[in-house]
């Protein structure tokens, strides 16, 4: 060993004690071996940005924990750098030398390339490793950032300060390995040329990884306010407002008002607050949750380096934005700036959230062009700086467990920002957030029963302390298939680049496009759903008349549902449980969602009290996954033998409703293939039988028959709602028609009556938004004649649809529908029906 190597090893030994006392490093990803397919047979050499003995020692510690090669100083006298050797792109900064390139790493890469050429079967890999201390991006205009912003860019004094104050917030981030045997590397050309190319690739990687992990440097708040007020878009609105109306205002007054809007909206990001919240939330999560499971994050980590990331999660709980930001931070990604409703801007929460990256928006911009211009400009600046952003396109928390119809305002502003021109392409990242149990469950039950939603306040915050004393099971963060906005527009033949040249006018295509964009994001969120214990147990028990089932039968039914989801997968991003039906039931019992009592004939599991209503919420989380199998099973409630083509005919007619209501992922072209896959799975499970070209259900003496009938119940409430709207249309006389608002109102009233008569304990059954979606589908599919001002009438195809839906319902329910419809018509003829409001008239 050379003298220089011996001195380096001696220096590393001296560093171990202070590092052991001061530094507690974390790594991202948590398991780089499995994520990057690293094995003990690989010849791994680490590459770091800047020369640092501290980095070598930390890699030695991590190597021991991960069973990877321990980090060590590179011995330049060796023909091939040893496993675990650390190469540095830059020398350590000094007073006379800052960021000077270290040419020694190129010589080592040349040696590795020659070794790879001589041993083509042995994998040589360069693994880039980034070191972050405190994750502080720093201010754009700050003198201190040149001394303490990064241990890799600081001198000895700066390094000491960083280790002293940020040693507990050290992150080691492993990057995608560069395999020297890869086809992308042409070993036939000169190794020196390849080494120079790889050096440039690594420099780009470290620059992009810094922004993706730490985020861009933050702008001084005063400069931000002045910049937005002085922007062209805001100044144009100010010029218009000066000449508008009777009470004219000066430009100074309007600029002052615009500045107040910026202060109301803008986040005041503080890395110190992020570290504080991270420490606080770690204690909270470990107390109330059994763990946070993250899936499909690898692709997001890679794309964050060269895309403007917009996280679009489903919105189920106030914990959503805290959980997502917390987990992204711990996974080595920059926490996003979050769009929050102005209702959350109350003391002291508003200030904390604002420092944690929240920016606030009003529920409506209508009538305030200046506020809209300021908000648009602020959002554009976030996108253009490369700051990740998060917003909930549903607008509010779902009280039913279903995805809500997207509010397209934020989506429209995002598309308009693209038209103005951005440095990076926009990438939407759908996120499914699933809970085994939510702490807002009790308040949701009250709201579903008609109780008014409580306004967020400090007093309400104090009430959360009681909820935090309970146990809530696991949380699932599943990242769905990313959506590139430019690709989305190009697929629809939209020339958005041409539209960007004329920013004064709103493009004609924008409204319909953002509606399609919102629906597509919802489908990708649902395609990344998590199937957990409470959801499966709720789905199973709600399918029974009294929400109770024999314990052994319930376990068998749960096993069947899991097997079905695996054999006919909903998507590649779905997260399925790896436990048995018995283990899932035990979890649900532990969480208190279901009860159990002993009976001489066998133990019975049941849902009791408010949990029955809340169970509809959890079953709705996964209803879209089992909707197609349930619809197929429903065919066999009234039919003994059916061909595959007949089954597909039933589904083809009804599918548009389910596609819109549940945001199911398959387009019509792919539906037939998925139906065949589900049918084959049901046949393999024994629930169906196929003979002579016909498919029939299992014998009614076979336990599989009852499982098939239970499965069929999942989609029954939806079919009943469709039948309600179709019954209202079918009952029209030749000279009659119904306005859209009237059809929605009458359908809702009829649903309330059916729910009362048939003991349907689910307030969402008569949700007006569901009937609004149904009427939308009726119009889009051409099942009604609709003339503005005169109303709707069913077409001939609608009659076929009506008979098809009725054929999937029980006879008593059919009769109940017709009887209730006649009763409503009689009341209408007597003049006792409710009067249409001005709003409903406007909608019609």
């Amino acid at each position: 060993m050379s003298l220089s190597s011996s001195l380096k090893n001696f220096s590393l030994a001296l560093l171990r004690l202070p590092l052991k006392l001061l530094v507690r490093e974390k790594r991202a990803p948590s398991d780089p071996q499995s994520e990057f397919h690293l094995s003990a047979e690989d010849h791994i050499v680490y590459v770091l940005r800047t020369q640092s003995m501290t980095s070598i020692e930390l890699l030695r510690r991590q190597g021991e924990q991960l069973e990877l090669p321990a980090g060590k100083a590179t011995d330049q006298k060796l023909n091939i750098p040893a496993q675990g050797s650390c190469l540095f792109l830059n020398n350590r900064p000094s007073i006379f030398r800052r960021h000077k390139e270290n040419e020694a790493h190129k010589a080592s890469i040349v040696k590795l390339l020659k070794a790879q050429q001589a041993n083509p079967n042995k994998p040589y890999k360069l693994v880039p490793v980034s070191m972050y201390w405190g994750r502080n991006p720093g201010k754009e205009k700050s003198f201190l950032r040149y001394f303490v912003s990064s241990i890799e860019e600081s001198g000895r004094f700066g390094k000491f300060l960083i280790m002293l104050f940020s040693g507990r917030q050290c992150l080691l981030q492993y990057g995608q390995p560069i395999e020297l045997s890869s086809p992308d590397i042409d070993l036939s050309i000169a190794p020196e040329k390849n080494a120079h190319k790889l050096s440039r690739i690594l420099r780009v990687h470290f620059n992009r990884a810094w922004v993706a992990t730490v985020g861009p440097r933050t702008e001084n708040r005063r400069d931000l306010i002045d910049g937005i007020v002085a922007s062209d878009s805001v100044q144009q609105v100010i010029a218009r407002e000066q000449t508008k109306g009777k009470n004219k205002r000066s430009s100074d007054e309007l600029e002052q008002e615009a500045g107040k809007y910026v202060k109301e909206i803008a986040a005041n990001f503080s890395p110190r607050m992020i570290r504080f919240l991270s420490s606080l939330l770690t204690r909270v999560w470990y107390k109330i949750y059994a763990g946070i499971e993250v899936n499909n994050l690898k692709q997001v980590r890679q794309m964050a380096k060269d895309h403007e990331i917009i996280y679009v999660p489903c919105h189920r709980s106030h914990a959503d934005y805290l959980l997502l930001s917390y987990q992204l931070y711990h996974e080595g990604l920059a926490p996003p700036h979050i769009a929050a409703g102005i209702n959350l801007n109350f003391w002291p929460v508003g200030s904390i959230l604002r420092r944690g990256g929240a920016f606030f928006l009003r529920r409506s911009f209508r009538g305030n062009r200046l506020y809209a211009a300021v908000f648009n400009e602020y959002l554009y600046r976030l996108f253009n700086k490369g700051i990740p952003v998060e917003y909930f396109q549903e607008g509010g928390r779902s009280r039913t467990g279903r995805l809500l119809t997207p509010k397209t305002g934020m989506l429209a502003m995002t598309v308009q920002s693209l038209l103005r021109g951005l440095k990076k392409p926009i990438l939407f990242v759908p996120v499914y957030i699933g809970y085994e149990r939510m702490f807002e469950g009790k308040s949701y039950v009250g709201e579903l029963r008609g109780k008014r939603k409580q306004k967020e306040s400090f007093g309400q915050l104090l009430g959360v302390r009681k909820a935090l004393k309970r146990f809530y099971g696991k949380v699932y963060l599943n990242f769905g298939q990313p959506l590139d906005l430019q690709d989305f527009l190009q697929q629809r033949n939209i020339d958005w680049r041409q539209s960007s040249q004329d920013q004064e006018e709103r493009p004609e295509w924008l409204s319909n496009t953002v509606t399609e964009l919102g629906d597509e994001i919802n489908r990708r969120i649902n395609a990344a759903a998590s199937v957990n214990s409470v959801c499966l147990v709720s789905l199973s028990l709600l399918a029974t008349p009294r929400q109770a089932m024999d314990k052994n039968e319930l376990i068998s039914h749960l096993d069947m549902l899991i097997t079905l989801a695996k054999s006919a997968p909903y998507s590649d991003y779905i997260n399925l449980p790896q436990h048995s039906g018995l283990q899932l039931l035990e979890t649900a019992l532990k969480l208190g969602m279901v009860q159990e009592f002993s009976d001489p004939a066998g133990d019975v599991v049941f849902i009791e009290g408010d949990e029955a209503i809340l169970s509809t919420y959890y079953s709705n989380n996964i209803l879209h996954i089992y909707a197609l199998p349930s619809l197929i099973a429903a065919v066999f409630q009234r039919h003994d033998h059916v061909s595959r083509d007949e089954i597909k005919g039933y589904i083809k007619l009804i599918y548009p409703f389910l596609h819109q209501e549940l945001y199911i992922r398959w387009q019509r072209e792919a539906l037939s293939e998925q139906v065949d896959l589900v049918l084959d799975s049901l046949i393999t499970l024994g629930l169906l039988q196929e003979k002579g070209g016909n498919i029939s259900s299992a014998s009614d003496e076979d336990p599989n028959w009852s499982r098939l009938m239970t499965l069929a119940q999942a989609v029954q409430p939806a079919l009943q709602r469709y039948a309600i709207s179709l019954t209202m249309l079918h009952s029209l006389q030749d000279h009659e028609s119904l306005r859209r608002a009237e059809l929605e109102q009458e359908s809702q009233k009829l649903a309330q009556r059916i729910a009362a008569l048939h003991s349907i304990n689910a307030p969402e059954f008569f949700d007006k938004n569901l009937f609004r979606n149904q009427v939308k589908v009726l119009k889009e599919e051409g099942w009604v004649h609709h003339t503005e001002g005169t109303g709707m009438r069913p077409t001939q195809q609608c009659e076929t649809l009506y008979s098809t839906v009725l054929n999937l319902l029980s006879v008593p329910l059919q009769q109940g529908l017709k009887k209730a419809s006649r009763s409503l018509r009689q009341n209408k003829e007597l003049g006792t029906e409710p009067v249409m409001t001005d709003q409903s008239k406007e909608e019609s």
Side-chain angles (χ1 to χ4, degrees):
M1 183 179 293
S2 65
L3 179 61
S4 61
S5 297
S6 299
L7 289 174
K8 288 179 181 177
N9 290 333
F10 177 71
S11 301
L12 288 170
L14 291 177
L15 267 176
R16 276 171 198 165
L17 181 59
L19 284 177
K20 185 176 182 180
L21 296 175
L22 295 175
V23 179
R24 293 290 182 272
E25 76 276 11
K26 295 180 180 178
R27 64 177 173 267
S30 58
D31 187 5
Q33 288 167 292
S34 61
E35 182 152 333
F36 299 126
H37 308 293
L38 300 175
S39 71
E41 298 177 359
D42 298 336
H43 189 102
I44 293 173
V45 174
Y46 301 110
V47 184
L48 296 100
R49 190 173 192 174
T50 305
Q51 187 174 4
S52 169
M53 302 296 286
T54 305
S55 300
I56 297 176
E57 173 57 20
L58 293 180
L59 277 172
R60 184 196 66 80
R61 290 187 351 191
Q62 286 296 309
E64 292 177 353
Q65 296 177 24
L66 294 170
E67 298 181 356
L68 286 173
K72 63 185 71 172
T74 302
D75 189 346
Q76 297 294 344
K77 292 189 176 181
L78 293 176
N79 292 331
I80 304 174
Q83 275 205 335
S85 295
C86 294
L87 309 182
F88 301 99
L89 301 186
N90 299 322
N91 289 312
R92 183 176 58 82
S94 67
I95 296 175
F96 306 103
R97 179 188 65 198
R98 293 191 65 83
H99 303 296
K100 187 172 181 181
E101 290 189 11
N102 181 347
E103 296 296 330
H105 77 277
K106 293 184 181 178
S108 297
I109 294 175
V110 167
K111 293 177 182 179
L112 289 168
L113 288 165
K114 290 179 178 178
Q116 182 67 75
Q117 194 171 21
N119 303 281
N121 295 326
K122 185 174 180 62
Y124 290 85
K125 295 182 179 181
L126 298 175
V127 179
V129 182
S130 302
M131 300 278 181
Y132 305 99
W133 300 75
R135 312 269 295 274
N136 186 352
K139 297 282 186 181
E140 287 185 340
K141 298 178 181 179
S142 171
F143 178 73
L144 287 177
R145 76 179 174 87
Y146 290 102
F147 295 93
V148 297
S149 63
S150 167
I151 201 168
E152 293 183 335
E153 300 175 0
S154 303
R156 288 188 172 88
F157 179 66
K159 182 179 293 186
F160 170 74
L161 290 178
I162 290 173
M163 288 177 59
L164 184 63
F165 294 108
S166 301
R168 304 282 169 155
Q169 288 87 39
C170 175
L171 174 72
L172 275 76
Q173 188 178 68
Y174 293 82
Q176 182 70 38
I178 297 177
E179 300 182 23
L180 300 186
S181 59
S182 168
D184 295 334
I185 299 176
D186 186 0
L187 296 176
S188 64
I189 65 176
E192 291 78 11
K193 189 174 181 179
N194 268 331
H196 181 70
K197 179 182 176 182
L198 290 173
S199 177
R200 285 191 303 169
I201 291 172
L202 288 164
R203 288 184 187 281
V204 171
H205 162 81
F206 284 116
N207 289 336
R208 291 179 175 177
W210 170 275
V211 176
T213 303
V214 179
R217 299 196 188 279
T218 55
E219 189 174 1
N220 182 279
R221 193 165 178 81
R222 185 69 257 170
D223 293 340
L224 173 68
I225 295 171
D226 293 342
I228 291 177
V229 173
S231 66
D232 292 341
S233 58
V234 174
Q235 286 296 319
Q236 287 172 5
V237 174
I238 288 175
R240 291 196 198 101
E241 292 294 314
Q242 282 182 267
T243 60
K244 185 179 178 181
K246 297 180 180 179
N247 301 322
K248 296 181 180 179
R249 292 182 290 174
S250 67
S251 61
D252 289 341
E253 289 176 324
L254 290 167
E255 286 182 357
Q256 190 175 11
E257 184 177 351
K260 290 180 180 178
Y261 287 153
V262 180
K263 292 178 183 177
E264 176 188 314
I265 294 167
N268 190 19
F269 185 79
S270 167
R272 188 177 300 171
M273 178 59 73
I274 293 293
R275 292 195 293 270
F276 167 75
L277 289 174
S278 173
S279 177
L280 175 66
L281 291 174
T282 297
R283 298 177 185 178
V284 173
W285 301 152
Y286 278 102
K287 181 179 180 181
I288 66 175
Y289 293 129
I292 303 173
E293 185 176 316
V294 182
N295 297 291
N296 310 322
L297 185 60
K298 179 181 178 181
Q299 59 183 344
V300 180
R301 191 181 283 117
Q302 294 297 324
M303 292 180 171
K305 297 173 185 176
D306 47 16
H307 287 83
E308 165 57 25
I309 299 294
I310 302 178
Y311 298 99
V312 197
C314 59
H315 201 7
R316 304 276 162 80
S317 166
H318 277 313
D320 293 343
Y321 37 83
L322 296 175
L323 275 163
L324 182 55
S325 294
Y326 169 87
Q327 200 60 40
L328 288 171
Y329 181 74
H330 280 263
E331 293 285 348
L333 289 167
H337 278 41
I338 309 164
I342 197 69
N343 58 307
L344 293 177
N345 190 20
F346 63 90
W347 185 89
V349 172
S351 178
I352 295 173
L353 293 179
R354 196 183 294 275
R355 291 178 180 274
F359 59 96
F360 296 95
L361 72 157
R362 298 177 181 179
R363 290 297 180 187
S364 175
F365 297 3
R366 185 173 296 176
N368 194 335
R369 293 173 62 88
L370 183 58
Y371 179 87
V374 168
F375 189 88
N376 269 285
E377 181 65 25
Y378 176 72
L379 194 64
Y380 171 74
R381 286 178 174 244
L382 289 181
F383 294 153
N384 207 38
K385 280 181 66 67
I387 296 173
V389 173
E390 171 192 341
Y391 54 73
F392 301 93
Q393 67 166 8
E394 294 171 272
R397 290 170 293 158
S398 170
R399 267 62 172 187
T400 64
R402 303 165 181 265
L403 290 178
L404 302 179
T405 303
K407 310 289 186 188
T408 57
M410 289 293 290
L411 292 174
M413 285 184 274
T414 303
V415 175
Q416 288 174 314
S417 293
L418 174 69
L419 300 184
R420 290 180 62 179
L422 296 172
K423 296 176 182 177
K424 294 181 178 180
I426 288 179
L427 190 78
F428 289 103
V429 177
V431 186
Y432 178 91
I433 306 177
Y435 301 86
E436 285 190 318
R437 190 177 180 94
M438 294 187 312
F439 61 80
E440 291 111 327
K442 188 175 181 180
S443 66
Y444 282 5
V445 170
E447 289 177 36
L448 286 170
R449 283 178 165 167
K451 187 178 179 182
R452 194 168 186 177
K453 174 183 175 291
Q454 289 186 349
K455 185 179 179 181
E456 288 78 5
S457 64
F458 181 63
Q460 190 182 25
L461 183 65
L462 294 176
V464 174
R465 292 166 54 199
K466 296 180 181 178
L468 295 181
K469 294 179 181 179
R470 300 188 63 177
F471 177 67
Y472 296 93
K474 291 187 72 172
V475 182
Y476 301 87
L477 288 177
N478 297 341
F479 293 84
Q481 182 184 3
L483 189 153
D484 188 297
L485 180 55
Q486 294 184 11
D487 290 346
F488 180 84
L489 296 177
Q490 288 170 358
Q491 288 169 7
R492 280 151 184 78
N493 297 318
I494 294 173
D495 190 358
W496 60 273
R497 289 184 175 85
Q498 179 65 34
S499 299
S500 65
Q501 297 175 11
D502 187 7
Q503 298 177 14
E504 292 295 321
E505 295 185 7
R506 181 184 173 99
E508 294 181 359
W509 51 262
L510 184 62
S511 180
N512 289 335
T513 300
V514 294
T515 298
E516 293 177 12
L517 177 61
D519 288 348
E520 179 61 24
I521 291 173
N522 266 1
R523 290 190 181 97
R524 296 194 184 201
I525 292 173
N526 267 347
S530 181
V531 181
N532 62 48
S533 58
V534 173
C535 294
L536 282 172
V537 172
S538 297
L539 184 72
S540 302
L541 291 180
L542 288 174
T544 60
R546 298 188 180 277
Q547 290 81 56
M549 191 182 291
D550 175 81
K551 182 177 180 180
N552 291 328
E553 177 56 30
L554 176 57
I555 292 170
S556 298
H557 191 76
L558 293 173
D559 286 330
M560 181 274 292
L561 290 176
I562 297 169
T563 304
L564 177 60
K566 290 179 178 178
S567 59
Y570 185 84
S571 82
D572 295 335
Y573 292 86
I574 213 78
N575 179 44
L576 298 174
Q578 301 303 314
H579 302 297
S580 66
L582 175 60
Q583 292 170 311
L584 295 175
L585 178 57
E586 288 174 348
T587 301
L589 288 166
K590 181 181 178 182
L591 291 168
M593 286 300 300
V594 293
Q595 307 295 323
E596 179 183 7
F597 74 86
S598 297
D599 184 85
D603 294 345
V604 175
V605 179
F606 64 97
I607 307 174
E608 189 175 52
D610 287 345
E611 300 298 346
I613 296 178
L614 194 56
S615 291
T616 64
Y617 183 99
Y618 293 113
S619 67
N620 282 339
N621 288 179
I622 61 169
L623 180 58
H624 62 282
I625 297 173
Y626 291 99
L628 195 56
S630 178
L631 185 56
I632 292 172
V635 173
F636 294 93
Q637 287 184 311
R638 300 281 308 281
H639 300 79
D640 295 327
H641 302 279
V642 193
S643 69
R644 284 186 181 245
D645 288 340
E646 288 174 322
I647 292 173
K648 291 176 182 178
Y650 280 117
I651 292 171
K652 183 180 178 181
L653 272 174
I654 298 170
Y655 183 71
F657 289 108
L658 293 172
H659 184 64
Q660 178 65 36
E661 178 182 332
L662 300 177
Y663 294 103
I664 300 178
R665 62 179 293 262
W666 299 292
Q667 298 299 328
R668 294 185 186 182
E669 309 82 61
L671 189 59
S672 179
E673 182 180 349
Q674 187 63 26
V675 170
D676 282 329
L677 183 59
V678 174
L679 282 171
D680 291 340
S681 299
L682 292 173
I683 292 168
T684 302
L685 285 166
L687 276 69
L688 297 177
Q689 301 171 354
E690 186 170 21
K691 292 181 181 179
N694 281 329
I695 299 177
S696 61
S697 64
S699 167
D700 56 8
E701 298 178 355
D702 188 334
N704 282 322
W705 181 85
S706 62
R707 288 170 198 148
L708 183 69
M709 294 301 104
T710 302
L711 177 62
Q713 294 306 309
V715 80
Q716 284 297 305
L719 294 176
Q720 291 163 13
R721 280 194 304 274
Y722 307 154
I724 286 170
S725 294
L726 293 169
T727 298
M728 297 304 302
L729 288 170
H730 184 73
S731 62
L732 293 175
Q733 302 297 325
D734 292 340
H735 61 281
E736 290 182 320
S737 63
L738 270 177
R739 295 179 183 271
R740 189 184 76 183
E742 287 179 316
L743 178 56
E744 293 168 6
Q745 290 176 352
E746 296 297 324
S747 297
Q748 187 182 15
K749 288 190 295 181
L750 184 54
Q752 288 174 319
R753 184 164 180 81
I754 294 295
L757 292 173
H758 293 265
S759 302
I760 299 175
N761 193 18
E764 63 146 35
F765 181 73
F766 41 84
D767 183 359
K768 62 181 180 182
N769 293 316
L770 295 178
F771 287 105
R772 185 173 294 128
N773 278 333
Q774 287 174 203
V775 175
K776 178 184 176 183
V777 173
L778 286 170
K779 289 177 59 180
E780 290 178 349
E781 295 296 320
W783 284 325
V784 290
H785 295 295
H786 182 226
T787 306
E788 293 295 336
T790 61
M792 299 178 177
R793 284 194 53 77
T795 63
Q796 186 61 43
Q797 291 83 359
C798 189
E799 298 295 328
T800 305
L801 172 67
Y802 181 49
S803 63
T804 299
V805 173
L806 286 184
N807 271 332
L808 300 178
L809 301 177
S810 66
V811 173
L813 187 59
Q814 291 182 36
Q815 294 173 344
L817 268 173
K818 294 175 181 178
K819 184 177 179 180
S821 175
R822 285 194 298 270
S823 177
L824 280 176
R825 283 190 60 81
Q826 290 171 1
N827 290 336
K828 185 176 180 180
E829 290 169 0
L830 293 173
T832 59
E833 78 280 9
V835 180
M836 290 178 64
T837 63
D838 292 337
Q839 181 182 0
S840 63
K841 289 180 181 178
E842 182 182 348
E843 289 176 351
S844 66

